[in-house]
Amino acid sequence: MAGHAVTPTVAAWGSARETFESVNPATGEVLATYGIDGQPEVALAVRRARVAAAWWGGLSFAERRLRLLAWKSHLTRYLGRLAQVVHDETGKPLDDATLEIVNTILHLDWAARHAHSVLRPRRVAAGIAMINQAATVEYQPVGVVGVIGPWNYPVFTPMGSIAYALAAGNAVVFKPSELTTGVGQWLVQSFTEVLSEVFGEAEPVLQLVTGRGPTGAELARSGVGKIAFTGSAATARKVLAAAAETLTPVLAECGGKDALLVAADADLDAAADAAAWGAMSNAGQTCVGVERVYVVESVYQTFLDKLNDRVSRLRPGEDAGAAYGPMTLGTQVDVVERHLADAVARGGRAAYGGLDSVRAPYVTPVVLVDVPEESAAVREETFGPIVTVTPVPTLNDGVRLANASPYGLGSAVFTRRRGTGMRAARALRSGMTSVNSVISFAGVPSLPFGGTGESGFGRIHGADGLREFSRAKAITRQWMKPLVRTTTFKRTSTDMERIVKLVTVLHGRLVKPKQRRR
């Protein structure tokens, strides 16, 4: 079910449909050609999705769970085929592509199995003043969710929205990155096949639209119930502007500049290993990857030596023995070069690698030291296999520098003291923090995933992710006459006296602070 070549079609008004090519970034081989969907194609997909959403949302949680678990089984059985498509379109090693899909399967399973317990109607306390009312809250689907996915993790990241949106009862229109359209097509076709072959159903619950930025903009302004976007902060602003035309809410995950903190008592071997993997895996093209490391001065040089030793063993390439693949987006090589040049110009130096590490489409590992905090390599998202390492007097100084970034997605802390790690984790201004590991929060389906500041807003994954694609519905049902009449023109002075007396008794007592024992 990999992408297939298409011939430009002639639209109703007589003009040929534009196309674009999917290219293997390691070899330059053209993998497939796809049509560029414009406003008519996007609008048609959304109209069809609205019809499908009424059917899908009308199913019970148990019925949707059955279908999503069948899809999960399909993804598991054909995991190798999908991993090959990911490898071909991104260049990442097959093992990395496989692990990405495995993590996706775990999240799909969690969303399918927990949607009912998270979103089902539940009774809430009405309070003594409204004791005559039975109060209920439930979460209803928003209808159609538009998902605009990235290219760096073309299965795991968009499925963090797709799986949870479907589990919540919505239909989805998916616009994958133009660099990984074949992956998006595979996912949509696989779900369609499961509905058709296993359940005999043909409703277009999950649809694909293809193209570049303008196609995503059309989806954002199409009037869907919600847009889930992953990409740069600059592109997020454009998506928000387009969505604002129809007051469409947006969930935005916009990348990061994640910091890893190393305390004086940390396991330096574990910290160095985690920093190497967090910074270099997937060629550094990870939104929650490690781009900055702050190390307490007393262990700085030892940590740096261990990190350099680990990255020296890493080699990019397209063969099975490579540690990571090429830069998937060619223009990202220019960003890497600019950040390296700026760091060196400001007095930084390469403890490992350097300017000659850039050999497009590959970039060998680079470890930078003595880099000023105002440099681009520290302030801007690099999205390449480069990491800065900076000594700090204390762990608190590391927290302060980590929080100085406009981004706030993920972070990590290494220390042997549980209390120290938890305090630092809570103090870091990020949506997620791992202690004594990196990026582990992404592998826990019950945890929310998202950031703050330039890293965006909203959450995927976990109960928060299910609610993100729902709208809260509050219902009150009067089951007996009110003790005090308030919402009627028949209200009397006696009613008012009673309500004021009740509130005074319940809430008028002066609260005094407790005296501390000496």
Side-chain angles (χ1 to χ4, degrees):
M1 285 181 292
H4 60 278
V6 298
T7 303
T9 57
V10 179
W13 51 89
S15 59
R17 185 182 181 192
E18 294 184 45
T19 62
F20 66 98
E21 295 176 336
S22 173
V23 178
N24 184 316
T27 65
E29 174 194 1
V30 175
L31 301 172
T33 302
Y34 300 94
I36 295 178
D37 291 329
Q39 190 278 332
E41 291 84 11
V42 172
L44 175 60
V46 172
R47 285 198 302 271
R48 297 178 69 227
R50 288 197 177 104
V51 176
W55 170 77
W56 181 254
L59 297 177
S60 67
F61 283 107
E63 289 170 325
R64 287 197 296 270
R65 167 179 166 167
L66 187 63
R67 287 154 178 79
L68 291 174
L69 292 181
W71 188 25
K72 178 202 69 171
S73 298
H74 183 98
L75 294 180
T76 304
R77 292 196 307 274
Y78 295 100
L79 190 155
R81 295 186 187 181
L82 178 55
Q84 185 64 51
V85 180
V86 173
H87 168 72
D88 290 343
E89 287 202 310
T90 66
K92 68 175 63 180
L94 270 173
D95 283 354
D96 288 357
T98 300
L99 289 174
E100 176 183 346
I101 300 165
V102 167
N103 209 4
T104 301
I105 289 167
L106 299 179
H107 276 270
L108 176 56
D109 179 78
W110 193 95
R113 295 183 186 277
H114 289 82
H116 176 253
S117 62
V118 172
L119 304 176
R120 64 178 174 80
R122 68 178 191 274
R123 292 283 296 272
V124 296
I128 194 166
M130 299 294 286
I131 198 171
N132 66 310
Q133 300 287 339
T136 304
V137 63
E138 61 186 63
Y139 296 88
Q140 299 179 348
V142 300
V144 179
V145 174
V147 176
I148 302 175
W151 47 263
N152 59 328
Y153 290 91
V155 178
F156 178 71
T157 301
M159 281 292 285
S161 295
I162 294 170
Y164 288 79
L166 290 174
N170 303 283
V172 174
V173 177
F174 177 31
K175 189 273 174 193
S177 166
E178 61 270 27
L179 301 182
T180 53
T181 301
V183 175
Q185 183 185 65
W186 199 102
L187 290 171
V188 171
Q189 287 184 351
S190 67
F191 184 68
T192 302
E193 286 183 13
V194 168
L195 286 187
S196 174
E197 297 176 7
V198 179
F199 299 95
E201 298 159 347
E203 286 76 5
V205 178
L206 174 60
Q207 295 179 78
L208 184 77
V209 292
T210 60
R212 300 188 178 93
T215 303
E218 291 296 343
L219 182 57
R221 63 169 59 94
S222 65
V224 295
K226 190 159 197 172
I227 288 289
F229 167 80
T230 305
S232 69
T235 303
R237 289 179 170 86
K238 296 177 182 179
V239 171
L240 286 165
E245 297 177 16
T246 50
L247 287 181
T248 300
V250 176
L251 181 159
E253 197 265 274
C254 308
K257 192 71 180 177
D258 289 9
L260 183 151
L261 276 54
V262 182
D265 69 330
D267 180 336
L268 298 184
D269 287 311
D273 185 71
W277 187 83
M280 309 303 169
S281 62
N282 203 36
Q285 300 166 123
T286 304
C287 58
V288 287
V290 176
E291 297 207 4
R292 300 176 292 155
V293 179
Y294 296 103
V295 189
V296 172
E297 290 171 345
S298 60
V299 295
Y300 169 75
Q301 190 59 53
T302 303
F303 170 85
L304 183 61
D305 292 342
K306 291 178 181 293
L307 176 61
N308 287 341
D309 176 63
R310 280 158 177 77
V311 301
S312 68
R313 307 172 196 172
L314 306 179
R315 175 183 60 80
E318 60 174 317
D319 57 287
Y324 58 84
M327 302 297 287
T328 305
L329 179 63
T331 56
Q332 199 64 32
V333 175
D334 300 331
V335 176
V336 171
E337 285 188 310
R338 177 171 62 83
H339 285 193
L340 278 172
D342 179 74
V344 172
R346 292 176 182 271
R349 61 184 178 85
Y352 186 86
L355 292 171
D356 59 352
S357 295
V358 180
R359 306 161 191 168
Y362 299 102
V363 178
T364 57
V366 180
V367 178
L368 294 173
V369 297
D370 301 332
V371 181
E373 289 295 301
E374 65 272 14
S375 69
V378 175
R379 296 292 296 173
E380 302 175 16
E381 186 176 38
T382 304
F383 228 54
I386 298 175
V387 64
T388 63
V389 183
T390 305
V392 291
T394 68
L395 194 63
N396 288 338
D397 292 297
V399 171
R400 176 179 56 80
L401 290 175
N403 288 346
S405 171
Y407 292 97
L409 192 54
S411 54
V413 182
F414 275 78
T415 174
R416 296 182 192 272
R417 295 186 178 91
R418 178 180 176 181
T420 300
M422 293 303 293
R423 282 193 297 273
R426 293 185 176 112
L428 285 162
R429 190 184 63 87
S430 62
M432 304 156 291
T433 302
S434 56
V435 180
N436 294 328
S437 65
V438 289
I439 318 179
S440 54
F441 42 74
V444 181
S446 56
L447 283 177
F449 185 104
T452 186
E454 287 288 303
S455 292
F457 43 82
R459 295 294 184 268
I460 58 175
H461 302 172
D464 294 82
L466 287 167
R467 294 190 186 104
E468 191 76 46
F469 299 106
S470 309
R471 57 184 179 87
K473 175 73 174 185
I475 300 174
T476 55
R477 178 181 56 82
Q478 182 168 299
W479 62 276
M480 73 175 196
K481 291 183 179 181
L483 300 178
V484 180
R485 294 178 296 182
T486 57
T487 57
T488 174
F489 287 113
K490 295 179 180 180
R491 184 180 59 223
T492 67
S493 58
T494 301
D495 290 321
M496 286 304 300
E497 289 174 3
R498 288 175 177 172
I499 192 66
V500 171
K501 184 176 181 180
L502 178 63
V503 171
T504 301
V505 170
L506 292 175
H507 304 288
R509 183 170 60 89
L510 180 63
V511 178
K512 295 181 180 180
K514 292 182 179 180
Q515 294 291 331
R516 291 184 178 180
R517 293 182 179 180
R518 295 183 179 179

